[in-house]
Amino acid sequence: MLIADDEEDFLILVENFLKVYTDQIEVLVASNGRQALQILETRNVDLLVTDVKMPEMDGIELLSHLSRKKLDIYVIVITAFATQDVLSRLNQVGQFYYLAKPFNMQSFGNTILKILRDKSGAYVNQFTLSNLLQLIHMEQKTCTLSVKSNGKVGYLYLRNGELINAETNGTDGLEAAKRIIAWDRAETEM
């Protein structure tokens, strides 16, 4: 498994806990999304645990890259900035596991073992545009998303997690956003 988080103390804590907790898991660590991508290019990883807020490349951008590559990697998203409402909505989507910091290490370890044992649920290749927009909203991220589907191209412009404009095929605003979000098998770049 690979853990991507910029808090070195947290990485050490999790790595040491998992070594004691189980001898069945090899733990790799990265301090940002860019390092995580480099590891994923050279190593076979079954589970990614990623923080959302990291320098150089954050967790949302990391998931976006993995989604484009259509990798079958189970994902646990962690962050210190979560509300109960956001957690409920993400749990309903069911595309990845989500934990709010701080969390109980024993529960964390059990979740990891369950994911790897059951092999169900949290594939990043099922990470939808809707999932991405929820994370961007929760983290109040400012970005432009380029969305492509079946020869169509659209852009979603977000400031502090809120949609401020969208455009596709001569249409803009809310109507363009609705069209883009409804596209099947959309590929998204940030």
Side-chain angles (χ1 to χ4, degrees):
M1 74 175 273
L2 171 61
I3 304 170
D5 196 305
D6 63 324
E7 296 178 32
E8 188 174 334
D9 292 342
F10 176 76
L11 286 174
I12 292 168
L13 174 72
V14 171
E15 187 175 21
N16 289 335
F17 171 78
L18 290 173
K19 283 179 186 174
V20 171
Y21 188 75
T22 178
D23 60 355
Q24 302 168 10
I25 301 172
E26 179 185 4
V27 180
L28 306 170
V29 297
S31 62
N32 61 57
R34 199 167 311 287
Q35 285 181 0
L37 277 179
Q38 290 172 348
I39 291 169
L40 290 166
E41 288 175 3
T42 61
R43 300 291 303 265
N44 188 16
V45 174
D46 295 314
L47 172 64
L48 169 66
V49 177
T50 183
D51 193 4
V52 175
K53 289 194 182 260
M54 295 183 289
E56 292 188 46
M57 178 187 289
D58 66 22
I60 296 171
E61 292 170 287
L62 173 60
L63 292 175
S64 181
H65 278 280
L66 295 179
S67 181
R68 280 195 308 277
K69 293 181 181 207
K70 298 188 180 351
L71 297 176
D72 287 336
I73 298 174
Y74 298 96
V75 177
I76 298 175
V77 176
I78 56 176
T79 186
F81 305 98
T83 65
Q84 194 60 28
D85 179 54
V86 170
L87 293 175
S88 294
R89 285 188 293 153
L90 291 173
N91 285 334
Q92 288 172 359
V93 174
Q95 300 299 320
F96 51 87
Y97 294 88
Y98 190 86
L99 294 173
K101 288 181 182 178
F103 48 80
N104 176 286
M105 289 300 282
Q106 189 74 35
S107 295
F108 178 60
N110 288 336
T111 300
I112 289 170
L113 291 179
K114 180 184 182 321
I115 291 169
L116 294 176
R117 183 179 57 244
D118 294 349
K119 304 269 187 204
S120 63
Y123 287 114
V124 76
N125 72 350
Q126 296 175 4
F127 192 73
T128 64
L129 177 58
S130 176
N131 294 128
L132 185 59
L133 289 170
Q134 287 178 342
L135 279 173
I136 290 169
H137 177 74
M138 180 186 68
E139 293 295 325
Q140 299 178 352
K141 188 169 180 65
T142 297
C143 62
T144 298
L145 298 178
S146 170
V147 184
K148 298 176 184 174
S149 176
N150 298 321
K152 299 176 281 194
V153 178
Y155 299 93
L156 299 170
Y157 304 100
L158 299 111
R159 182 180 304 130
N160 298 324
E162 299 295 328
L163 180 68
I164 59 170
N165 199 7
E167 58 183 90
T168 183
N169 198 28
T171 306
D172 65 355
L174 188 56
E175 184 60 34
K178 288 177 185 178
R179 287 182 185 179
I180 293 167
I181 291 169
W183 291 348
D184 288 328
R185 302 178 191 260
E187 294 183 14
T188 307
E189 291 185 30
M190 187 175 301

